[in-house]
Amino acid sequence: MRVLAFGCHPDDIEFSAAGTLALLAQRGWEVHLATMAGGEVGSPDLRPQDIRAKRLKEAAASAEVLGARYHYAGGHDLEIEYNQALRRQAVRVLREVDPQIVLTHPPTDYLLDHEETHRLVRNAAFIASVPLFDCGLPTRPMERIPYLYYWNAAGQADIFGRPLPVHFGVDVSSVMDTKVRMLAAHESQREWLRFINKWDAYIENMKEGTARDGKRIGRPMGECFLQHRGLGHPTDNILAKVLGDLCVSLEDSKGGTK
Ligand SMILES: [Zn+2]
């Protein structure tokens, strides 16, 4: 019972999937958070290596709110690309955690860093069980291909401004305090945005996005997901089994989206 949320930058997971992770943690799941990048451009004045050191600590503190572990996959902000070095890093994280469930970015999002992370994590979820794929470290291949889910795009829209055809949403109304505490652990980003905007835009933006997903499922607060149902991955919805009524389907009987 292990779930891995694998995002691009420190704080992406907190915006899009932390509530679902909190619900899984409440139900006894071991939770892991990972990021491809280290937050190197997230400061107006610090050097990249200094803001990265700070942000990796903030990401670990956020994970700690859930009693979770944080993993850094070694990439840099605005330099994430689908290449061999990062393919290996993504597979290394997958093999180290060996999760039953993986959550990551959707295939379309406002930033190419996110889309490349999607490709890297999606690929890693599929090939981490291939024994002859060498990730550069003596890791054990995964024994199964995990359930794979994509959280909603930032701003709840694809690059053409359209809503994503999400399959279901998770009602996270009961764990919003936890979601806020996780995001607030990213102090450097919160302070930066507060300085620029003159209000607590960081936390409020997250609440607005979570409320938009909530509206889609008719609940106060929500997190919407697509499930990867391609060949090889399990296609039943384990999140619906684990979370019961909190998981609200958005599919109609013909497989379309409501
Ligand atoms: Zn990001």
Side-chain angles (χ1 to χ4, degrees):
M1 288 168 54
R2 283 179 302 278
V3 57
L4 168 66
F6 203 153
C8 182
H9 310 106
D11 80 8
D12 287 333
I13 296 166
E14 286 78 355
F15 273 94
S16 303
T20 301
L21 296 177
L23 291 169
L24 291 171
Q26 280 177 355
R27 285 154 181 76
W29 281 67
E30 183 181 310
V31 179
H32 294 256
L33 279 71
T35 64
M36 284 307 310
E40 292 81 4
V41 304
S43 169
D45 46 19
L46 296 178
R47 294 181 305 167
Q49 61 267 41
D50 295 333
I51 185 63
R52 176 174 59 215
K54 197 170 169 58
R55 293 192 68 187
L56 297 187
K57 278 193 195 136
E58 291 172 349
S62 166
E64 186 53 39
V65 171
L66 294 182
R69 234 185 95 196
Y70 170 65
H71 310 256
Y72 169 46
H76 287 199
D77 279 15
L78 307 183
E79 295 178 20
I80 301 304
E81 58 182 334
Y82 185 73
N83 63 25
Q84 179 65 340
L86 292 181
R87 261 199 300 278
R88 287 181 163 188
Q89 290 277 35
V91 168
R92 170 185 65 80
V93 173
L94 261 288
R95 285 178 176 168
E96 280 174 3
V97 176
D98 189 21
Q100 282 82 15
I101 300 176
V102 175
L103 314 175
T104 190
H105 294 275
T108 171
D109 208 344
Y110 79 105
L111 192 59
L112 276 169
D113 260 14
H114 288 190
E115 295 187 1
E116 294 291 289
T117 296
H118 160 88
R119 298 175 77 202
L120 288 160
V121 175
R122 169 181 161 187
N123 177 68
F126 197 89
I127 70 170
S129 56
V130 176
L132 287 180
F133 181 80
D134 177 11
C135 72
L137 280 173
T139 49
R140 241 195 350 208
M142 284 175 64
E143 284 178 14
R144 76 195 87 73
I145 296 176
Y147 289 85
L148 178 59
Y149 296 92
Y150 307 134
W151 56 68
N152 210 342
Q156 278 71 30
D158 69 12
I159 59 169
F160 305 107
R162 301 172 303 193
L164 265 59
V166 287
H167 292 141
F168 64 93
V170 174
D171 180 349
V172 299
S173 310
S174 67
V175 287
M176 278 308 286
D177 286 356
T178 306
K179 189 168 177 175
V180 168
R181 270 199 293 145
M182 289 176 73
L183 188 62
H186 296 272
E187 288 170 9
S188 62
Q189 305 308 290
R190 188 183 188 181
E191 288 311 315
W192 187 18
L193 282 186
R194 188 143 52 187
F195 176 73
I196 295 169
N197 294 288
K198 313 290 180 224
W199 65 299
D200 200 355
Y202 199 53
I203 303 292
E204 294 308 316
N205 285 346
M206 181 276 282
K207 285 184 184 168
E208 283 170 15
T210 312
R212 274 198 296 275
D213 266 0
K215 195 171 176 194
R216 194 127 181 217
I217 55 168
R219 307 283 173 94
M221 292 289 177
E223 288 172 352
C224 288
F225 293 92
L226 293 144
Q227 181 172 9
H228 185 106
R229 292 169 178 160
L231 193 65
H233 288 273
T235 55
D236 59 306
N237 188 355
I238 190 172
L239 285 178
K241 284 191 193 116
V242 174
L243 300 174
D245 291 345
L246 293 176
C247 191
V248 181
S249 172
L250 287 167
E251 289 184 278
D252 61 29
S253 55
K254 292 179 187 141
T257 302
K258 288 177 196 163

